[in-house]
Amino acid sequence: MKNPFRDLYSDTPTSRRVTYVGLFFLCLLAVWQASNWLQQQKITALTDESYQVLGQLTSVIESSLSTYQHIPTLLASHKQVLTVLKASKAAHDQEEQESYQQLGYEQPSAPIAEQQHYETELAELNQTLEQINRITESSDSYIIDAYGDTLAASNYNTDTSFIGKNFAYRPYFQEAMVGKSGRYYALGSTTKRRGYYFSYPVIEQGVILGVAVVKIELGQLEARLANNKYDFLMRDPDGVIFSSSRPKWIYRTLQPLPQAAQIVVEQSQRYGGQKIGVMPLLKEEKHNEVANILVLNDADNQSRASSYLYISEPISNLGFQVDLLVPLTPIEQDILLWRTMLIGLIMILVLVLLSIKLRQKMLNERTKAHEIRLHNQVYIQEIVNNTQAGLVTLDAKQQIESYNPAVERLVNCALDEVMGQPLDALFTATEEKRVISMSGTFSVTACEGYLHFNPAYKVAVEMTLCRMALPDSLKYLVTFHDMRERKRYEQEIILAQTALEQRVKERTFELEQTNDKLRNEINLHKDTQQELIQTAKMAVLGQLSAGLNHELNQPLTAIRSFAENALKFIQRDNIKQVDGNLQQIVQLSSHMRDIIARFKVFARKGSFHHSPVLLETAIKGALNIMLPRLKEADIAFILPKMEQQMVLGDLVLIEQVIVNLIANAIDAIEEACAEKSGEKGTACTRAERTITVLLNQTEPDWLEFGILDSGGGFVEGALAHIFDPFYSSKTSGVGLGLGLSISQRIIESMGGTIQAENQYHGVNQYVEGAVFRIKLKRFIPY
């Protein structure tokens, strides 16, 4: 585009033009430097004012949090707290004296009166904590025993109650257990709400019985500190923002954390599973010794950035740092307005001077414009005459007014007689007209048809018609595009598409026949797999039949004894003893029913469905089935605490796999002990006759458990074939070699994996036994 200002000073000497341009830019530079100086002065004044605000803010935060630091100390001396913790400690001491490795042994329970008294004291303590929490306006108050388990809490009657939760991993608990008062800030693992924690040890006669804790939710504090004039941050020693006036800044850092610091934050579990991000910091520059200027991207609009005055002050006794971010937008707007006004005045002065010169040039421009208009008309006429598309213009009555040579080339004859006739004399449509564009008073319609002015020569074309509203008249422009080549291509495409559809139909018929054969084979394989699983179950039940007879024979003998004694007591008219014998008979009958029900469920045949399964239930169900063989072989079964771990699968199938692994472990231990007795002449010790359940919870989406035996492990080369059908590492004639192969198919059908390996021990890495590790998808209820 031509620059209208270039000619204004084209006749001015070069030195004078350079001087004018230099003066103009010098004025702009002066305005810019003056505005920068004014901006720095305003920011410095704002820094002094903001530092006072920061001091007030830190004082409010420190006083607000410190108000609650003495509450745990008072709770630690409360009589009910001491009573409950001493009772809990006594219960733990009793449990530690019991052995968990004896099968079928029930722990002695505390007297009912003592248990009821403890529950009453615990209920009263919960109510007391709730009342204290309501009076002090804290978020939560709770009591933790020396093992990290929460005994009482102010939120005992809520869905997010802390009771029963273990907080031994929290630093505030660990600090209190060494006799110190603890302070900590973190994301609540139960409530998922951020809070600041105060803790204090509960001590009696020099013994730490537990910990009293008070939590203050940071959301309440943030609401009190909210202010439209500034934003604030509270950062931990690692630089992580755990509280802010803007929720989207929480769990972020101003600078990326080093790898070592990230590991420390993750191991502390301070912020749960929250991902630590980085603030959208675009620029940081130093303003003075106490303040910096930060430029941040807007959290809601990444294309918009804002500048902040940034000052910081630590709160040493609380262990974190408070930052103040004061928006500089008002100052920037004032400076922008000041710059705009001055630059506007300079531009007005320049425009006034230029307008005088511009007026002198306008008359010359009008003459040049008239010449250009005449040139353009000739230029447009040449374009119309030389274009390949046929062009026809119609008057307001839609009668032909003009045409270009391309139309005569299309119809292959002269068109002198078509002037003044309607468009139908030249063109006939073969389809309905359609609107292809419309905008205000401008619209374009199109349709297909043929030109027929020459009766012996018809041409297929596409016609477009647009309405031209000229200043003094109404015209129509008609365009004809040759369609002959496109019609030929369309016919070829239709023939090719017809042939392709026929080939697709033939190929589809062949594929459907092949799919039917595959479905039949899949159904046959499913039936075979179900039969193999049922056969494996029946084989295990056959091995357990002797133990089952022994397990049922004992209660039957006891029932007969109790029944005979009952008859004698009836003869003696001793109804009380008769009642006791009958109750014993009822309990023994229930026990026999449970044994038979467990075997009936295990022997069930049918379809299986994946659903949430409590792992401890599956292991204990398999243990109940194998209990007769374990007792007969004098093998100890060690089961750790599962803590309500759930997996996705089928309960009966998981039990079948565990039963098979326990049966193999028993055979391995008996075979190893038999070899030891034959070679060395010594019997296996109790420690050498154990089966242990291993649990691995390191992966968040998977749960891994294993069955470890104290047998001789696998011989060299056996691990490569241990899951092959009909392969067995047992003595010849024992088993079919299908159990582990079926177990592998069951676990893989539930989306899991099973692996076998030797367990090594000691400096010399001798084989301690064999372990089967099973990994299944974890189910986490919401």
Side-chain angles (χ1 to χ4, degrees):
M1 179 182 292
K2 185 178 181 181
N3 187 353
F5 296 105
R6 187 182 64 182
D7 295 335
L8 296 181
Y9 44 85
S10 60
D11 57 348
T12 305
T14 304
S15 59
R16 189 180 301 175
R17 291 202 302 267
V18 172
T19 302
Y20 290 158
V21 173
L23 288 174
F24 176 75
F25 282 104
L26 186 61
C27 292
L28 292 181
L29 180 61
V31 170
W32 190 265
Q33 292 297 333
S35 62
N36 285 341
W37 178 84
L38 180 60
Q39 183 175 10
Q40 292 299 318
Q41 295 301 313
K42 285 180 174 288
I43 294 176
T44 301
L46 180 63
T47 301
D48 298 337
E49 179 184 348
S50 300
Y51 223 88
Q52 296 178 3
V53 173
L54 178 60
Q56 296 173 359
L57 180 64
T58 54
S59 298
V60 171
I61 294 173
E62 186 173 7
S63 61
S64 298
L65 293 178
S66 299
T67 303
Y68 300 95
Q69 66 180 345
H70 300 296
I71 297 178
T73 307
L74 297 175
L75 287 175
S77 60
H78 198 280
K79 181 180 178 180
Q80 289 180 332
V81 173
L82 291 171
T83 302
V84 169
L85 286 176
K86 286 192 291 184
S88 175
K89 184 177 184 305
H92 275 288
D93 292 341
Q94 182 181 0
E95 290 179 0
E96 290 178 356
Q97 296 174 3
E98 302 297 334
S99 174
Y100 291 96
Q101 300 180 357
Q102 297 295 329
L103 293 171
Y105 184 78
E106 298 182 356
Q107 302 178 11
S109 60
I112 296 177
E114 293 182 8
Q115 182 68 20
Q116 291 177 347
H117 177 70
Y118 172 72
E119 293 177 354
T120 302
E121 289 287 342
L122 196 59
E124 293 177 356
L125 178 56
N126 283 330
Q127 295 174 359
T128 301
L129 291 176
E130 182 183 21
Q131 184 178 7
I132 293 173
N133 203 59
R134 185 169 55 252
I135 294 172
T136 60
E137 296 183 353
S138 58
S139 300
D140 298 294
S141 303
Y142 49 102
I143 305 300
I144 307 175
D145 65 10
Y147 299 91
D149 295 324
T150 304
L151 302 180
S154 58
N155 60 358
Y156 68 95
N157 57 353
T158 64
D159 295 337
T160 58
S161 174
F162 295 161
I163 295 178
K165 306 294 183 181
N166 188 284
F167 297 114
Y169 63 92
R170 287 296 198 190
Y172 64 76
F173 172 81
Q174 298 169 3
E175 291 178 3
M177 287 304 297
V178 296
K180 300 178 182 179
S181 59
R183 296 181 180 185
Y184 193 65
Y185 35 88
L187 178 70
S189 59
T190 302
T191 62
K192 302 304 179 185
R193 294 194 293 266
R194 296 169 293 115
Y196 196 89
Y197 300 82
F198 290 100
S199 63
Y200 195 81
V202 181
I203 305 174
E204 185 181 51
Q205 296 181 358
V207 178
I208 299 178
L209 301 177
V211 178
V213 185
V214 172
K215 175 185 177 183
I216 301 92
E217 287 190 5
L218 295 178
Q220 300 174 357
L221 181 61
E222 291 167 355
R224 292 172 55 189
L225 300 178
N227 192 309
N228 294 329
K229 296 183 179 180
Y230 60 82
D231 291 304
F232 68 88
L233 311 173
M234 286 191 273
R235 293 186 293 134
D236 66 12
D238 297 313
V240 179
I241 300 171
F242 64 90
S243 178
S244 173
S245 56
R246 294 201 185 187
K248 292 186 178 181
W249 289 353
I250 298 174
Y251 308 126
R252 295 194 178 194
T253 58
L254 291 175
Q255 299 294 340
L257 281 177
Q259 184 67 25
Q262 290 182 3
I263 295 174
V264 171
V265 172
E266 292 175 358
Q267 290 178 348
S268 67
Q269 302 183 34
R270 170 173 285 174
Y271 303 116
Q274 291 290 341
K275 182 179 180 181
I276 305 301
V278 181
M279 292 280 284
L281 180 62
L282 299 179
K283 181 181 179 182
E284 180 177 5
E285 61 183 19
K286 188 175 182 179
H287 175 68
N288 55 27
E289 296 299 328
V290 297
N292 289 349
I293 305 297
L294 302 184
V295 181
L296 299 174
N297 261 341
D298 194 294
D300 298 321
N301 186 0
Q302 293 295 324
S303 62
R304 184 175 63 186
S306 302
S307 299
Y308 296 89
L309 177 67
Y310 172 77
I311 56 178
S312 179
E313 183 174 337
I315 303 181
S316 56
N317 62 334
L318 292 179
F320 56 81
Q321 188 157 323
V322 179
D323 303 334
L324 194 67
L325 280 78
V326 184
L328 296 179
T329 303
I331 294 178
E332 292 174 344
Q333 291 176 346
D334 292 343
I335 298 301
L336 179 61
L337 179 60
W338 192 82
R339 287 173 178 169
T340 304
M341 291 176 61
L342 290 180
I343 294 175
L345 290 175
I346 296 174
M347 293 299 296
I348 290 173
L349 180 60
V350 172
L351 290 175
V352 169
L353 295 176
L354 291 178
S355 63
I356 298 174
K357 189 70 174 177
L358 183 61
R359 180 64 180 172
Q360 298 175 357
K361 300 293 181 180
M362 287 181 61
L363 295 175
N364 294 333
E365 292 293 335
R366 287 182 180 178
T367 303
K368 293 179 180 179
H370 180 69
E371 294 175 355
I372 291 173
R373 188 182 305 113
L374 295 177
H375 172 75
N376 288 341
Q377 289 177 356
V378 175
Y379 180 67
I380 292 171
Q381 187 62 40
E382 287 297 319
I383 292 176
V384 170
N385 291 336
N386 290 281
T387 185
Q388 298 299 314
L391 299 178
V392 175
T393 59
L394 308 178
D395 59 15
K397 297 180 181 180
Q398 295 193 359
Q399 294 178 346
I400 298 175
E401 188 177 56
S402 66
Y403 56 87
N404 69 342
V407 179
E408 292 183 327
R409 289 196 295 270
L410 285 174
V411 298
N412 198 23
C413 68
L415 295 176
D416 296 336
E417 299 178 0
V418 82
M419 298 294 292
Q421 297 187 25
L423 185 62
D424 294 342
L426 179 63
F427 171 77
T428 300
T430 58
E431 66 173 8
E432 293 292 332
K433 293 182 180 180
R434 60 188 185 276
V435 178
I436 61 175
S437 177
M438 179 174 291
S439 176
T441 59
F442 180 81
S443 64
V444 178
T445 58
C447 68
E448 293 183 9
Y450 56 89
L451 296 173
H452 56 79
F453 188 77
N454 185 354
Y457 193 78
K458 291 184 179 181
V459 181
V461 294
E462 181 184 41
M463 183 275 292
T464 59
L465 184 146
C466 65
R467 183 174 178 269
M468 300 186 298
L470 302 178
D472 54 353
S473 62
L474 177 64
K475 303 289 184 181
Y476 295 91
L477 177 65
V478 181
T479 305
F480 295 110
H481 296 279
D482 193 345
M483 296 276 292
R484 288 173 291 184
E485 195 68 19
R486 196 175 100 184
K487 290 292 184 181
R488 184 174 63 81
Y489 289 152
E490 288 179 355
Q491 187 65 29
E492 292 177 355
I493 291 173
I494 291 173
L495 294 175
Q497 184 177 2
T498 303
L500 179 62
E501 289 177 353
Q502 183 62 31
R503 290 181 61 190
V504 169
K505 288 181 180 179
E506 295 173 357
R507 184 60 179 163
T508 302
F509 179 74
E510 295 175 358
L511 290 175
E512 287 178 353
Q513 290 182 329
T514 304
N515 287 337
D516 291 339
K517 293 180 180 180
L518 287 174
R519 290 191 190 97
N520 293 332
E521 292 180 2
I522 290 171
N523 291 332
L524 291 175
H525 285 306
K526 286 183 178 178
D527 294 339
T528 304
Q529 183 176 4
Q530 291 289 346
E531 292 299 328
L532 285 174
I533 293 174
Q534 188 67 18
T535 301
K537 286 184 182 181
M538 300 289 55
V540 172
L541 289 177
Q543 296 175 4
L544 298 176
S545 60
L548 176 63
N549 291 335
H550 176 73
E551 194 73 15
L552 295 176
N553 191 46
Q554 285 185 338
L556 282 173
T557 303
I559 288 173
R560 179 177 179 180
S561 177
F562 280 121
E564 291 175 352
N565 290 337
L567 292 175
K568 294 179 182 179
F569 287 133
I570 291 174
Q571 293 175 1
R572 300 175 184 176
D573 200 19
N574 190 345
I575 302 302
K576 183 177 181 180
Q577 292 294 335
V578 172
D579 181 74
N581 285 5
L582 292 177
Q583 290 181 2
Q584 293 292 335
I585 291 173
V586 170
Q587 293 179 359
L588 291 170
S589 300
S590 300
H591 179 62
M592 294 174 62
R593 180 193 62 194
D594 293 340
I595 294 173
I596 295 173
R598 172 54 58 186
F599 277 86
K600 286 175 64 179
V601 171
F602 182 75
R604 184 183 70 195
K605 179 180 180 182
S607 60
F608 302 101
H609 305 282
H610 292 177
S611 59
V613 176
L614 196 61
L615 183 59
E616 186 175 15
T617 301
I619 295 177
K620 287 185 176 180
L623 178 60
N624 289 334
I625 294 174
M626 298 302 299
L627 193 59
R629 281 206 63 191
L630 290 169
K631 288 183 178 180
E632 179 183 357
D634 190 23
I635 295 175
F637 191 86
I638 301 174
L639 177 63
K641 188 177 181 180
M642 293 294 180
E643 297 181 353
Q644 302 296 313
Q645 299 294 334
M646 302 186 75
V647 297
L648 285 174
D650 185 273
L651 177 61
V652 176
L653 289 179
I654 295 175
E655 283 185 1
Q656 180 177 348
V657 172
I658 297 173
V659 165
N660 190 31
L661 296 181
I662 294 175
N664 289 345
I666 294 173
D667 293 339
I669 293 172
E670 288 183 336
E671 185 175 345
C673 290
E675 291 181 0
K676 181 178 180 181
S677 177
E679 293 177 359
K680 300 181 180 180
T682 58
C684 289
T685 63
R686 183 65 170 175
E688 294 175 325
R689 304 177 69 88
T690 60
I691 299 175
T692 306
V693 176
L694 307 177
L695 187 63
N696 183 5
Q697 306 182 52
T698 57
E699 298 185 42
D701 298 329
W702 296 87
L703 186 64
E704 182 182 291
F705 66 96
I707 304 297
L708 170 64
D709 63 63
S710 60
F714 297 105
V715 297
E716 184 178 358
L719 288 174
H721 307 283
I722 196 66
F723 293 107
D724 293 346
F726 304 107
Y727 177 83
S728 176
S729 60
K730 301 177 184 179
T731 306
S732 178
V734 178
L736 299 175
L738 289 174
L740 291 178
S741 176
I742 293 174
S743 298
Q744 184 185 43
R745 292 190 180 185
I746 291 174
I747 295 300
E748 289 179 349
S749 69
M750 293 184 284
T753 59
I754 179 171
Q755 294 179 341
E757 60 187 41
N758 283 326
Q759 184 80 358
Y760 296 95
H761 183 71
V763 178
N764 297 326
Q765 293 290 297
Y766 63 87
V767 177
E768 186 181 38
V771 59
F772 285 86
R773 301 187 188 277
I774 299 174
K775 184 185 290 186
L776 293 172
K777 292 181 180 178
R778 186 192 297 269
F779 175 79
I780 302 176
Y782 294 98

PDB file of all heavy atoms in Angstrom, residues 103-104 551 554 626-635:
ATOM      1  N   LEU A 103      -1.590 -72.076  64.806  1.00  0.00           N
ATOM      2  CA  LEU A 103      -2.850 -72.198  64.072  1.00  0.00           C
ATOM      3  C   LEU A 103      -3.943 -72.747  64.980  1.00  0.00           C
ATOM      4  O   LEU A 103      -3.709 -73.663  65.776  1.00  0.00           O
ATOM      5  CB  LEU A 103      -2.678 -73.125  62.874  1.00  0.00           C
ATOM      6  CG  LEU A 103      -1.750 -72.588  61.775  1.00  0.00           C
ATOM      7  CD1 LEU A 103      -1.476 -73.678  60.763  1.00  0.00           C
ATOM      8  CD2 LEU A 103      -2.407 -71.406  61.125  1.00  0.00           C
ATOM      9  N   GLY A 104      -5.145 -72.147  64.785  1.00  0.00           N
ATOM     10  CA  GLY A 104      -6.298 -72.623  65.547  1.00  0.00           C
ATOM     11  C   GLY A 104      -6.295 -72.181  66.990  1.00  0.00           C
ATOM     12  O   GLY A 104      -7.120 -72.645  67.777  1.00  0.00           O
ATOM     13  N   GLU A 551     -11.532 -83.928  60.683  1.00  0.00           N
ATOM     14  CA  GLU A 551     -12.056 -82.651  61.189  1.00  0.00           C
ATOM     15  C   GLU A 551     -13.513 -82.767  61.599  1.00  0.00           C
ATOM     16  O   GLU A 551     -13.954 -82.132  62.556  1.00  0.00           O
ATOM     17  CB  GLU A 551     -11.904 -81.580  60.097  1.00  0.00           C
ATOM     18  CG  GLU A 551     -12.083 -80.156  60.580  1.00  0.00           C
ATOM     19  CD  GLU A 551     -10.909 -79.684  61.394  1.00  0.00           C
ATOM     20  OE1 GLU A 551      -9.837 -80.329  61.353  1.00  0.00           O
ATOM     21  OE2 GLU A 551     -11.072 -78.670  62.074  1.00  0.00           O
ATOM     22  N   GLN A 554     -14.059 -85.377  65.021  1.00  0.00           N
ATOM     23  CA  GLN A 554     -13.863 -84.837  66.369  1.00  0.00           C
ATOM     24  C   GLN A 554     -15.138 -84.195  66.921  1.00  0.00           C
ATOM     25  O   GLN A 554     -15.567 -84.510  68.030  1.00  0.00           O
ATOM     26  CB  GLN A 554     -12.698 -83.841  66.353  1.00  0.00           C
ATOM     27  CG  GLN A 554     -11.341 -84.509  66.269  1.00  0.00           C
ATOM     28  CD  GLN A 554     -10.209 -83.501  66.374  1.00  0.00           C
ATOM     29  OE1 GLN A 554     -10.422 -82.334  66.112  1.00  0.00           O
ATOM     30  NE2 GLN A 554      -9.023 -83.960  66.735  1.00  0.00           N
ATOM     31  N   MET A 626      -7.421 -75.961  53.967  1.00  0.00           N
ATOM     32  CA  MET A 626      -6.167 -76.701  54.121  1.00  0.00           C
ATOM     33  C   MET A 626      -5.784 -76.935  55.581  1.00  0.00           C
ATOM     34  O   MET A 626      -4.731 -77.525  55.859  1.00  0.00           O
ATOM     35  CB  MET A 626      -5.031 -75.927  53.424  1.00  0.00           C
ATOM     36  CG  MET A 626      -5.211 -75.755  51.925  1.00  0.00           C
ATOM     37  SD  MET A 626      -5.365 -77.319  51.072  1.00  0.00           S
ATOM     38  CE  MET A 626      -3.800 -78.086  51.454  1.00  0.00           C
ATOM     39  N   LEU A 627      -6.597 -76.460  56.533  1.00  0.00           N
ATOM     40  CA  LEU A 627      -6.236 -76.579  57.944  1.00  0.00           C
ATOM     41  C   LEU A 627      -6.014 -78.032  58.380  1.00  0.00           C
ATOM     42  O   LEU A 627      -5.069 -78.315  59.124  1.00  0.00           O
ATOM     43  CB  LEU A 627      -7.329 -75.912  58.811  1.00  0.00           C
ATOM     44  CG  LEU A 627      -6.971 -75.678  60.275  1.00  0.00           C
ATOM     45  CD1 LEU A 627      -5.743 -74.806  60.395  1.00  0.00           C
ATOM     46  CD2 LEU A 627      -8.140 -75.045  61.010  1.00  0.00           C
ATOM     47  N   PRO A 628      -6.830 -79.005  57.957  1.00  0.00           N
ATOM     48  CA  PRO A 628      -6.568 -80.402  58.371  1.00  0.00           C
ATOM     49  C   PRO A 628      -5.180 -80.885  57.916  1.00  0.00           C
ATOM     50  O   PRO A 628      -4.460 -81.526  58.692  1.00  0.00           O
ATOM     51  CB  PRO A 628      -7.694 -81.184  57.701  1.00  0.00           C
ATOM     52  CG  PRO A 628      -8.794 -80.188  57.521  1.00  0.00           C
ATOM     53  CD  PRO A 628      -8.124 -78.902  57.240  1.00  0.00           C
ATOM     54  N   ARG A 629      -4.810 -80.573  56.664  1.00  0.00           N
ATOM     55  CA  ARG A 629      -3.492 -81.027  56.188  1.00  0.00           C
ATOM     56  C   ARG A 629      -2.356 -80.319  56.923  1.00  0.00           C
ATOM     57  O   ARG A 629      -1.317 -80.897  57.185  1.00  0.00           O
ATOM     58  CB  ARG A 629      -3.356 -80.766  54.685  1.00  0.00           C
ATOM     59  CG  ARG A 629      -4.066 -81.795  53.806  1.00  0.00           C
ATOM     60  CD  ARG A 629      -3.412 -81.871  52.443  1.00  0.00           C
ATOM     61  NE  ARG A 629      -2.037 -82.332  52.500  1.00  0.00           N
ATOM     62  CZ  ARG A 629      -1.189 -82.284  51.483  1.00  0.00           C
ATOM     63  NH1 ARG A 629      -1.583 -81.754  50.326  1.00  0.00           N
ATOM     64  NH2 ARG A 629       0.053 -82.715  51.609  1.00  0.00           N
ATOM     65  N   LEU A 630      -2.537 -79.032  57.233  1.00  0.00           N
ATOM     66  CA  LEU A 630      -1.509 -78.297  57.968  1.00  0.00           C
ATOM     67  C   LEU A 630      -1.305 -78.889  59.357  1.00  0.00           C
ATOM     68  O   LEU A 630      -0.177 -79.045  59.836  1.00  0.00           O
ATOM     69  CB  LEU A 630      -1.878 -76.819  58.070  1.00  0.00           C
ATOM     70  CG  LEU A 630      -1.801 -76.012  56.768  1.00  0.00           C
ATOM     71  CD1 LEU A 630      -2.444 -74.648  56.947  1.00  0.00           C
ATOM     72  CD2 LEU A 630      -0.354 -75.847  56.334  1.00  0.00           C
ATOM     73  N   LYS A 631      -2.413 -79.216  60.043  1.00  0.00           N
ATOM     74  CA  LYS A 631      -2.301 -79.818  61.373  1.00  0.00           C
ATOM     75  C   LYS A 631      -1.674 -81.206  61.290  1.00  0.00           C
ATOM     76  O   LYS A 631      -0.833 -81.585  62.113  1.00  0.00           O
ATOM     77  CB  LYS A 631      -3.683 -79.902  62.025  1.00  0.00           C
ATOM     78  CG  LYS A 631      -4.235 -78.550  62.457  1.00  0.00           C
ATOM     79  CD  LYS A 631      -5.569 -78.703  63.150  1.00  0.00           C
ATOM     80  CE  LYS A 631      -6.104 -77.362  63.633  1.00  0.00           C
ATOM     81  NZ  LYS A 631      -7.403 -77.516  64.304  1.00  0.00           N
ATOM     82  N   GLU A 632      -2.079 -81.962  60.278  1.00  0.00           N
ATOM     83  CA  GLU A 632      -1.549 -83.314  60.140  1.00  0.00           C
ATOM     84  C   GLU A 632      -0.037 -83.284  59.890  1.00  0.00           C
ATOM     85  O   GLU A 632       0.711 -84.104  60.417  1.00  0.00           O
ATOM     86  CB  GLU A 632      -2.268 -84.017  58.981  1.00  0.00           C
ATOM     87  CG  GLU A 632      -1.764 -85.439  58.740  1.00  0.00           C
ATOM     88  CD  GLU A 632      -2.437 -86.074  57.533  1.00  0.00           C
ATOM     89  OE1 GLU A 632      -3.331 -85.430  56.941  1.00  0.00           O
ATOM     90  OE2 GLU A 632      -2.091 -87.206  57.187  1.00  0.00           O
ATOM     91  N   ALA A 633       0.405 -82.296  59.055  1.00  0.00           N
ATOM     92  CA  ALA A 633       1.832 -82.195  58.737  1.00  0.00           C
ATOM     93  C   ALA A 633       2.605 -81.400  59.786  1.00  0.00           C
ATOM     94  O   ALA A 633       3.819 -81.249  59.655  1.00  0.00           O
ATOM     95  CB  ALA A 633       2.013 -81.559  57.362  1.00  0.00           C
ATOM     96  N   ASP A 634       1.903 -80.823  60.790  1.00  0.00           N
ATOM     97  CA  ASP A 634       2.540 -80.016  61.848  1.00  0.00           C
ATOM     98  C   ASP A 634       3.323 -78.861  61.227  1.00  0.00           C
ATOM     99  O   ASP A 634       4.502 -78.648  61.505  1.00  0.00           O
ATOM    100  CB  ASP A 634       3.469 -80.876  62.705  1.00  0.00           C
ATOM    101  CG  ASP A 634       3.935 -80.109  63.957  1.00  0.00           C
ATOM    102  OD1 ASP A 634       3.226 -79.155  64.357  1.00  0.00           O
ATOM    103  OD2 ASP A 634       4.992 -80.458  64.503  1.00  0.00           O
ATOM    104  N   ILE A 635       2.643 -78.106  60.359  1.00  0.00           N
ATOM    105  CA  ILE A 635       3.268 -76.972  59.667  1.00  0.00           C
ATOM    106  C   ILE A 635       2.603 -75.684  60.152  1.00  0.00           C
ATOM    107  O   ILE A 635       1.369 -75.591  60.197  1.00  0.00           O
ATOM    108  CB  ILE A 635       3.131 -77.103  58.139  1.00  0.00           C
ATOM    109  CG1 ILE A 635       3.913 -78.324  57.639  1.00  0.00           C
ATOM    110  CG2 ILE A 635       3.617 -75.847  57.420  1.00  0.00           C
ATOM    111  CD1 ILE A 635       3.740 -78.606  56.169  1.00  0.00           C
TER     112      ILE A 635
END
